[in-house]
Amino acid sequence: MNATSLETLPLAVRDLNVAYQSKVVVWDADFDAPAGKLVAIVGPNGAGKSTLLKASLDLIPAASGSVRFFGLPYRKARHRVAYVPQRESVDWDFPVSAVEVVAMGLYRRLGWCMPVRHKHREMARAALVKVGLGDFATRQISQLSGGQQQRVFLARALAQDADLYLMDEPFASVDAATERAIVEVLRELRARGKTVVCVHHDLPTVPEYFDHVALLNMRVVAQGPVAEIFTTENLRKTYGARLTLLEEAAQAVERARVAAQHRS
Amino acid sequence: MNRARALSILGIVVVLLGGLSWLVRARDSHVGHSHGTSGKSITDTAIEWPSRDRIWRTIALTDYNTRVVFAGVTALGAASGLVGTFLLLRKRSLLSDTVSHCTLPGIGIAFLIGEAAHLSGRSLPLLLAGAAVTGVLGMLAVVTIRARSHVKDDAALAIVLSVFFGLGIALMVVVQQLPTGNAAGLSHFIYGKAAAMTSSDAKLILIASIGAALLCAALFKEFKLLCFDATFARTQGWPTVLLDLALMGLVVAVTVIGLQAVGLLLVVAMLIVPAAAARFWSHRLGVTVLLATVIGAVSGFVGVAASALFPKLPAGAVIVLAAVVCFAASLVFGAERGLCKRWLEQRRVQHRVARQHLLRAIYEWCETCSQPPGRDAVNLLDCPVSLDDLRRANDWSEKRLRQLLRIGFAERLIMLNDNRDAVHLTAEGKLEARRVTRNHRLWETYLLQYADVAPQHIHHNADEIEHVIEPNIVNKLEELLAGREGAALVPADPEKPRVVPLRGAGL
């Protein structure tokens, strides 16, 4: 949490406060995404997980605080950051094909008024292949299943070829095949030294999918490596004393511990 | 590919507009002193039914005034269809209605300014400039109310629309009581009067249309992104507010130049109806935009033709009606989303499912007849099935049974016995019954075994499991089925069927 970490971290959030009218949503949040890690942001519903991402990306105004991407404000580091919004954030009944949506990830690189050329369509197609949708490139997007739509969004982010990927609930209500495809993509990104921050809602899969975790309930309760931070005690602090949830979490914690021993 | 499409769209639009501008210019080169007469309305020679000569003159565009109006209104239709598509996809359709109503006070104010400055109060550019100013003000008012207060979107639109329109009506009454008595034509802006268009008006419309087309072509990709996912556009650093302003500016421009032809009450239809109609025909944005442009242009053309032939008909209303006819036709016959297409698809699926039900029901009945179940594959399917048993075993209604049998007879899959109370499979029917039942059971097993990935592979058109699933998995499924009681494996390659002569079959 010192000055040098601010210079180098892919994402560093300090004292972030966000409020909708008078209702505080994110309160004095400090959050770090270390380079080359898969980071999960977990917390109960309404804890401000998506808000934290959106405020970092200047999509909603923050009341106070500072956000640095690779030591720079967002508008200067934009080309190194890719954002995967929630699938429900757009109307999929739109007259474009999957590959056209993915090509949107390249628009910034194309610049004003320049059309998408063959080369870019090929890049977009390659991104679709990576998420297992190579056969669906020309399919109109409303004819894709929910999971496939989620993967189209992921492919659009891959096409951007960023260094930091911010994903808002990529695993929300997707089929098993999509979940596997996404996990595979995340691991490949990590292998290439990229950083991924996911808003995540499914506690049991946290130890399996992620390296780092930030527990958020308006403020960041705890953050760090999953093995250290993802404990029953911390989860109780984040979620309160809801029993079923805690049981589930306890099992997940146990699995994480075993997995950690196994690795070492 | 994409660039080619964008270029072809641009090309067609420019050729269209260029042709129209040639129509207007052609007269100017022939007769230099047309300014005095060009303002003469084609309705001045009102007659009830067009003479043959008049029809010919209208169609051949020999009459200069008709030509002017044709060019102007067709260009307007094209431009509004083009801009309207983006407006529709941005989900701001009603904003254009509000904007058009907000232009009325601007017209009144511009007229007053013109009178005060001793210009001709009827100068069109001045009036349209006034209209544009209050149109933009109205739009900004909506945006501000939406952003700064808890008033909901629809309420904001309704409030701004009624306030500005009320103000405009009040101004109109004041203006018409002025002693100069110059204001008689202002009400044309409410209901539209295409016939009153002069060549300079038409040129104004043409220039504005070409400008709108060029801007849309240049910002095609940007507008696409804005309409699909504005949030993502913002994270990418696109100035979405500016792009929105550009789009809304185009809407104001088209509205303002459309005031004279169709009037402020109906101009919203010019923007939205062609775009909505085009949406039924294509899932591609470029094609949709192009179609909307063409539908808009055709509607404009038809409207002016009708009002040239029947001077009592208001062009504005006919233009909108022509667009609505296009919309209705698209709604029913649209190639991608039309009702007919959906209905046919539905029918096809129902038919296929019914056919499969019938064949499987007969197969399963035959299976229960033979002992042990399914092992005697050779003569298994010769067994006749009583209609009553078939109906009861499957819980079908009489109607459903008749429906299914009709399909079976029509495709010569089954034949009625001599007693007319039982059916048996024809040679073709046996093959089909085996195939259908086998597929069904394999799919069923697949769903059970691979529950996590199966749903995305099952598709209504994927009849044949081998077309979708890898062979080694199919083999495994067959092994699984072979070991199962009850619903046993259906032989994949049955013996060559005996050729049974087909008898006439029918209910």
Side-chain angles (χ1 to χ4, degrees), chain A residues 29 33 40 77 82 92 112 125 138 187 228 252 258:
Chain A
W92 290 88
W112 283 95
R125 228 176 259 272
T138 53
R187 292 190 174 145
E228 291 167 28
V258 173

Side-chain angles (χ1 to χ4, degrees), chain A residues 135-197:
Chain A
D135 297 336
F136 295 84
T138 53
R139 178 94 50 106
Q140 201 254 335
I141 53 173
S142 70
Q143 293 163 0
L144 298 171
S145 73
Q148 290 167 338
Q149 290 171 347
Q150 184 67 57
R151 281 189 266 167
V152 168
F153 263 2
L154 183 62
R156 180 173 69 177
L158 290 181
Q160 284 175 248
D161 195 26
D163 295 317
L164 170 65
Y165 293 80
L166 301 180
M167 306 187 184
D168 200 345
E169 303 252 17
F171 295 105
S173 55
V174 297
D175 52 290
T178 298
E179 184 150 342
R180 274 209 294 273
I182 297 176
V183 168
E184 215 166 280
V185 166
L186 294 188
R187 292 190 174 145
E188 196 221 314
L189 286 172
R190 177 174 59 188
R192 283 164 50 205
K194 313 285 190 183
T195 312
V196 182
V197 177

Side-chain angles (χ1 to χ4, degrees), chain B residues 66-400:
Chain B
T66 318
R67 212 149 69 194
V68 165
V69 178
F70 265 112
V73 176
T74 309
L76 171 69
S80 56
L82 179 67
V83 173
T85 310
F86 292 109
L87 183 70
L88 184 80
L89 290 174
R90 187 78 181 104
K91 304 196 195 310
R92 298 273 163 84
S93 302
L94 274 178
L95 186 61
S96 70
D97 196 30
T98 301
V99 166
S100 71
H101 281 79
C102 289
T103 56
L104 191 60
I107 293 167
I109 293 167
F111 181 80
L112 287 176
I113 293 172
E115 289 290 288
H118 297 293
L119 301 165
S120 164
R122 301 275 302 274
S123 147
L124 187 70
L126 180 67
L127 294 180
L128 293 192
V133 169
T134 48
V136 170
L137 279 179
M139 193 183 80
L140 292 178
V142 173
V143 174
T144 315
I145 291 176
R146 194 160 48 192
R148 303 269 169 223
S149 75
H150 288 291
V151 177
K152 292 284 179 279
D153 216 26
D154 55 336
L157 289 168
I159 291 166
V160 172
L161 181 148
S162 47
V163 166
F164 275 71
F165 192 60
L167 183 65
I169 293 289
L171 271 170
M172 283 295 134
V173 173
V174 170
V175 162
Q176 268 156 11
Q177 284 162 355
L178 285 178
T180 50
N182 229 343
L186 288 192
S187 64
H188 289 168
F189 290 106
I190 301 180
Y191 302 111
K193 185 157 191 180
M197 198 178 279
T198 65
S199 70
S200 57
D201 300 351
K203 274 179 199 155
L204 185 71
I205 291 181
L206 274 170
I207 292 168
S209 303
I210 292 172
L214 287 176
L215 194 60
C216 281
L219 294 179
F220 187 81
K221 158 177 121 261
E222 285 77 5
F223 280 163
K224 178 157 98 176
L225 180 60
L226 175 78
C227 294
F228 176 62
D229 194 349
T231 311
F232 179 76
R234 269 180 69 192
T235 66
Q236 289 286 285
W238 293 101
T240 49
V241 176
L242 259 178
L243 283 171
D244 252 335
L245 278 180
L247 183 56
M248 295 307 145
L250 282 173
V251 170
V252 171
V254 170
T255 305
V256 163
I257 60 171
L259 286 180
Q260 205 189 10
V262 286
L264 63 86
L265 292 179
L266 288 179
V267 76
V268 60
M270 290 288 284
L271 280 159
I272 301 309
V273 177
R279 196 64 190 82
F280 286 102
W281 293 95
S282 175
H283 279 321
R284 320 192 57 139
L285 183 58
V287 179
T288 308
V289 166
L290 193 61
L291 269 176
T293 309
V294 171
I295 292 174
V298 168
S299 309
F301 192 88
V302 169
V304 185
S307 87
L309 292 173
F310 304 96
K312 294 275 163 64
L313 279 182
V318 179
I319 292 169
V320 171
L321 288 177
V324 169
V325 168
C326 288
F327 175 79
S330 308
L331 175 73
V332 178
F333 300 111
E336 282 293 350
R337 292 151 51 108
L339 294 177
C340 268
K341 193 202 176 201
R342 274 173 34 198
W343 182 75
L344 282 175
E345 269 173 6
Q346 187 85 19
R347 279 283 306 244
R348 216 172 306 143
V349 169
Q350 279 172 355
H351 181 266
R352 192 168 45 231
V353 169
R355 189 172 172 277
Q356 289 172 359
H357 275 182
L358 175 72
L359 290 171
R360 218 171 64 234
I362 296 178
Y363 187 99
E364 276 163 8
W365 180 261
C366 293
E367 228 172 21
T368 54
C369 288
S370 72
Q371 288 295 328
R375 294 298 182 258
D376 178 21
V378 180
N379 297 315
L380 172 68
L381 297 179
D382 289 334
C383 165
V385 187
S386 132
L387 293 181
D388 225 27
D389 289 341
L390 193 60
R391 189 177 69 77
R392 240 173 292 134
N394 293 285
D395 226 358
W396 289 333
S397 66
E398 289 283 356
K399 195 176 151 215
R400 176 71 174 162

Side-chain angles (χ1 to χ4, degrees), chain B residues 439-458 465 469 473 477 480 484:
Chain B
N439 253 313
H440 181 83
R441 290 188 183 159
L442 285 174
W443 273 123
E444 209 173 41
T445 321
Y446 180 66
L447 260 178
L448 286 172
Q449 293 297 315
Y450 300 89
D452 53 342
V453 289
Q456 72 164 342
H457 287 140
I458 292 194
I465 192 164
I469 308 298
I473 295 186
L477 293 174
L480 278 167
R484 235 169 83 188

Side-chain angles (χ1 to χ4, degrees), chain B residues 392-459:
Chain B
R392 240 173 292 134
N394 293 285
D395 226 358
W396 289 333
S397 66
E398 289 283 356
K399 195 176 151 215
R400 176 71 174 162
L401 178 69
R402 273 200 302 278
Q403 194 188 357
L404 294 179
L405 289 178
R406 243 194 322 270
I407 293 172
F409 292 138
E411 299 191 16
R412 306 210 160 169
L413 298 169
I414 51 172
M415 267 193 298
L416 213 52
N417 275 15
D418 294 337
N419 295 343
R420 303 182 71 82
D421 62 352
V423 290
H424 65 268
L425 292 164
T426 64
E428 202 182 333
K430 284 180 200 164
L431 274 179
E432 273 300 284
R434 275 201 192 89
R435 192 185 67 78
V436 163
T437 312
R438 173 171 176 273
N439 253 313
H440 181 83
R441 290 188 183 159
L442 285 174
W443 273 123
E444 209 173 41
T445 321
Y446 180 66
L447 260 178
L448 286 172
Q449 293 297 315
Y450 300 89
D452 53 342
V453 289
Q456 72 164 342
H457 287 140
I458 292 194
H459 196 264

